[in-house]
Amino acid sequence: MSIPSGAPAAAPRVPEAVHRRRWAILGVLMFSLLIVVLDNSILNVAVKTIASPAPTGIGATQSELEWAINSYTLVFAGLLFTAGLLGDRIGRKKVLLAGILVFGIGSALAALSSSPGELITWRALMGFGAAFVMPATLAVLMNVFERDEQPKAIGIWAGSVGLGIAIGPITGGLLLEHFWWGSIFLVNVPVVVLALIAMAVLVPDSKDPAPGRVDPLGVVLSVIGLVLLVYGIIRGGELASFTDVTVLAPLIGGLLVLTGFVWHEKRSSHPSIDIAYFREPAFSAAVAAIALVFFALMGVTFFSAFYLQSVRGYTALESGLLILPLAAAQMIFAPRARLVVDRFGARAVCTVGMLLVAAGLAAFALFDADTPLWVLCLVFFVQGTGMAHIMPPVTVAVMQALPRERAGSGSAINNTFRQVGGALGIAVLGSVLSTVYRGDIEGHLDGVPAAARDVAGESIEATLGVAEKLGPAGKPLVAAANDAFIGAMHVTALGSAAVALIGAAVVALFLPGRPVVRGERVPEARDTGEPVRQS
């Protein structure tokens, strides 16, 4: 992938002492990343418990539960770019240590929450800490591995993200079966302590040796723009509509502020991010692919949880176990994706990966209430295989386009597009699911008391709750709810698959193909003083 002019021709070599312990450092980075990703997925299985009255839960309403999830997402996405810049300037190790410490403190306080308001506040604090952890892990990785080993290391890093997404529901299910709801947060504390010790001992510090002047206006514009944009997306998902003024105002405001950010960066003598990188088709295609694949995947993850638990009747733990094939595929194939890319090129590999993701998503349009479990597992495995051949190559394309000293900025771009794409997928596809479901179920609510009719049409969980209160008379409503949800899921799955096909077209058109090798590659010398042997 070509690099815009002005980037250094070659990065400085990694010190030998750091090079020798690079795999141990990667293990610490994966450990740190895992608890951040795992915690975000672990909460999804605990929402029913948290909604229960005390002492089982804290009696959170549906809106409060949504904000317990969204407060984390909003702060996390809004600060990712700033966190990456700060790491480049003051040191990635310092930022990583501070981020994981804040995350641990937020976890302990969230576990001890006595009201929904407290839980929402401490979840926001956890999002603040996580925003400094995720970009720092990838930035440190780029500074402890040489360029030829970076694709393999990024593949392992990407596999740990998939592992966290899959084992979160399993861990949450096990904890809720044996402990109180706060245990899903308290379990982070000892893990954070271990991570802090390992980081202090093993992880080297690094930063941009010549960061230049601070760009305070750019930082402020990026935070305001991202927060407004993500808030509008979240609000649209809540209302299942993107035409309400409370949705349009922050969305348009966020886009305008981000447009102002781009305008400012292009004209600044000391920009936070060089916009010239986005003029490179391969770079822009890579970040677009990241956003599109997470748009599609997070949307299907959202409705598959309801399909497995509400329609099929599986517990949170059983649902988590059924998603294990997705994690297994990522752990198997992501670290090896570089070998396939070396042989066939990033364009072919990522295009096929996107097509596999699209096929897995489209398969949900064929599911019903009796689809065999092995078919579900196979579909999840296909999706995981596709993702394993998308995320490492496009992440490598983004990170290797920027000089090593700007690794924090590159990681921030990568993770910001991932987070915004995922939030948009949940909001947009969740809105589609809700709208189609409501349209299908309304014709079956004639026998429901008028006071409960609006509530019953909101979601399948709401409908099943009303049906349960009706007793034997509610059985026909349960069957109607399942049919309506499956119909809505089919429409949403096809929408997700269409987005994945758009992603396939983007990478097929703009990612680089297989590089033409002329002659034998000359190995690079390490900084040990040993001469390079040329054949």
Side-chain angles (χ1 to χ4, degrees):
M1 177 174 171
S2 60
I3 299 176
S5 59
R13 311 305 299 161
V14 176
E16 185 63 26
V18 173
H19 180 76
R20 283 197 298 266
R21 64 176 192 269
R22 64 196 185 284
W23 297 110
I25 294 169
L26 179 60
V28 176
L29 298 177
M30 287 176 59
F31 194 54
S32 307
L33 180 65
L34 187 63
I35 61 173
V36 171
V37 176
L38 183 148
D39 186 80
N40 213 21
S41 62
I42 206 173
L43 180 60
N44 293 327
V45 304
V47 290
K48 288 185 178 180
T49 306
I50 296 172
S52 303
T56 304
I58 52 177
T61 64
Q62 180 69 27
S63 176
E64 288 167 339
L65 287 172
E66 289 174 356
W67 274 108
I69 297 171
N70 293 337
S71 62
Y72 180 99
T73 303
L74 190 63
V75 175
F76 180 66
L79 289 176
L80 274 172
F81 186 71
T82 302
L85 294 174
L86 196 60
D88 285 344
R89 180 166 291 274
I90 69 172
R92 288 129 196 167
K93 180 176 181 177
K94 297 182 185 73
V95 166
L96 188 57
L97 288 169
I100 202 73
L101 177 61
V102 171
F103 184 84
I105 293 171
S107 298
L109 293 171
L112 302 175
S113 299
S114 58
S115 69
E118 289 182 10
L119 179 60
I120 292 168
T121 300
W122 303 135
R123 283 282 295 167
L125 183 63
M126 292 171 67
F128 184 93
F132 288 84
V133 173
M134 184 169 273
T137 58
L138 190 52
V140 170
L141 180 155
M142 297 299 292
N143 279 272
V144 299
F145 284 91
E146 301 292 5
R147 190 175 180 89
D148 58 342
E149 282 189 322
Q150 286 170 359
K152 180 179 181 181
I154 287 174
I156 297 172
W157 179 89
S160 69
V161 175
L163 177 64
I165 292 172
I167 68 174
I170 299 172
T171 306
L174 288 171
L175 289 170
L176 291 173
E177 283 187 3
H178 297 93
F179 304 101
W180 99 111
W181 69 268
S183 62
I184 64 171
F185 299 115
L186 197 62
V187 71
N188 293 332
V189 176
V191 179
V192 163
V193 172
L194 290 175
L196 286 171
I197 295 171
M199 284 179 203
V201 173
L202 290 172
V203 176
D205 203 1
S206 61
K207 61 181 179 180
D208 188 343
R213 292 163 55 194
V214 180
D215 178 24
L217 179 57
V219 170
V220 171
L221 289 174
S222 70
V223 173
I224 294 174
L226 285 170
V227 167
L228 285 173
L229 179 64
V230 175
Y231 175 80
I233 293 169
I234 290 170
R235 183 65 178 159
E238 283 182 343
L239 299 178
S241 170
F242 283 81
T243 59
D244 189 274
V245 67
T246 61
V247 177
L248 288 175
L251 277 178
I252 294 172
L255 290 173
L256 289 174
V257 172
L258 290 175
T259 301
F261 168 73
V262 172
W263 182 87
H264 169 73
E265 294 300 293
K266 289 175 69 175
R267 286 156 179 77
S268 175
S269 60
H270 49 285
S272 298
I273 180 66
D274 189 351
I275 302 300
Y277 289 108
F278 286 92
R279 296 183 189 139
E280 291 291 311
F283 182 87
S284 295
V287 294
I290 291 169
L292 289 169
V293 74
F294 269 83
F295 180 101
L297 188 78
M298 294 306 290
V300 77
T301 302
F302 176 76
F303 69 68
S304 65
F306 288 101
Y307 169 70
L308 293 172
Q309 295 184 45
S310 300
V311 176
R312 302 297 297 262
Y314 295 114
T315 65
L317 178 57
E318 290 168 339
S319 299
L321 290 171
L322 287 171
I323 302 176
L324 272 181
L326 187 147
Q330 291 199 56
M331 286 186 291
I332 293 168
F333 295 115
R336 296 169 175 80
R338 75 194 190 284
L339 302 176
V340 189
V341 171
D342 288 344
R343 182 167 183 178
F344 299 105
R347 179 190 301 160
V349 172
C350 290
T351 301
V352 173
M354 277 288 194
L355 291 175
L356 286 176
V357 170
L361 295 170
F364 274 87
L366 304 175
F367 287 2
D368 56 31
D370 301 311
T371 300
L373 287 182
W374 69 266
V375 176
L376 271 71
C377 292
L378 178 62
V379 167
F380 281 129
F381 188 82
V382 168
Q383 287 180 327
T385 302
M387 282 201 69
H389 290 89
I390 299 168
M391 296 313 298
V394 295
T395 303
V396 168
V398 171
M399 296 305 296
Q400 290 193 344
L402 275 70
R404 178 177 282 165
E405 57 268 21
R406 302 298 300 274
S409 300
S411 180
I413 293 170
N414 176 76
N415 287 298
T416 298
F417 274 81
R418 177 202 301 256
Q419 193 67 23
V420 172
L424 195 57
I426 292 173
V428 174
L429 297 176
S431 298
V432 172
L433 184 76
S434 177
T435 302
V436 177
Y437 176 81
R438 181 181 283 274
D440 287 347
I441 199 63
E442 278 181 351
H444 301 275
L445 299 178
D446 294 337
V448 176
R453 194 168 299 163
D454 286 341
V455 175
E458 288 181 357
S459 65
I460 185 172
E461 281 296 315
T463 308
L464 294 178
V466 170
E468 185 178 359
K469 292 178 181 177
L470 293 175
K475 286 186 178 179
L477 187 56
V478 171
N482 288 341
D483 290 342
F485 182 85
I486 289 174
M489 181 181 76
H490 290 169
V491 174
T492 310
L494 292 175
S496 303
V499 172
L501 288 176
I502 293 171
V506 169
V507 297
L509 289 171
F510 299 111
L511 277 189
R514 184 184 178 189
V516 178
V517 180
R518 294 185 176 89
E520 188 176 351
R521 188 175 71 87
V522 178
E524 297 179 350
R526 291 205 45 75
D527 59 349
T528 56
E530 297 178 1
V532 178
R533 293 185 178 181
Q534 305 217 5
S535 54

